[in-house]
Amino acid sequence: MKKVFLILFFLTLNFKLLTLPVGATDACRADSVSSMINCVNLLNNGNTDEIQINTLITCSGIDTCRFIINNVNRPVKITGISGAGFKRIDSFDYGIITINNSNQVILSNLLFDESFGTNGVIQNSTLAVIGSSNIILDKIESRHPRLWALTILSSNHISVTNSIFKDSEMYGIWAPHYYNSESLHIESN
């Protein structure tokens, strides 16, 4: 009996030492604007390394779907299941996803659908990569962006593959040379 008690005591005492941290390994699942805001906050604070978008999230209103990945310098991934992403129906004066001052971020399998028609507001890029490096955008579909689908500024080692930028009012990808972006890889788009 004494031997069993000591083994149970040892296992109980050391159990916490053997468990893996939960936060940084579990995917945060987003299916609404509020859950996406929560997931982006978790990602920015280091409490998750992956956001999985499970549906087409409707964006309506000023700054409703402004998601900024900021100062993230570890491998992270934002991905969608088939057909998942964002459908913006008004308020085109802000970017939906901005990757700012970050490193090793992957965006994959996401749809950005911006409705036809104008509402007279200032137009902005749907996606932006600013001051970042080692960013991969794979299987991104952007429909009807109001200005540019993707803006790349002062960034290095950016890869855009297997993506579609459709019916953009200006450009699909805007990466002006005077912002010193280098090593841009664009393939199969």
Side-chain angles (χ1 to χ4, degrees), residues 147-175:
L147 197 54
W148 304 289
L150 170 63
T151 297
I152 301 170
L153 304 173
S154 303
S155 296
N156 299 300
H157 306 288
I158 310 302
S159 179
V160 181
T161 58
N162 306 307
S163 297
I164 298 170
F165 303 109
K166 185 177 178 181
D167 294 329
S168 179
E169 287 192 22
M170 289 290 286
Y171 307 111
I173 299 173
W174 185 58

Side-chain angles (χ1 to χ4, degrees), residues 36 43 51 53 67 69 76-80 86 96-99 104-110 112 126-129 134-141 149-150 159-163:
M36 184 64 181
L43 186 85
I51 297 174
I53 301 170
F67 306 112
I69 309 307
V76 298
K77 184 176 182 179
I78 300 170
T79 189
F86 303 92
I96 294 178
I97 293 182
T98 300
I99 300 170
Q104 301 181 50
V105 177
I106 298 172
L107 291 183
S108 67
N109 202 31
L110 291 172
F112 296 86
T126 304
L127 299 166
V129 177
N134 301 310
I135 308 299
I136 297 172
L137 289 90
D138 184 48
K139 297 179 186 142
I140 301 298
E141 184 175 351
L150 170 63
S159 179
V160 181
T161 58
N162 306 307
S163 297

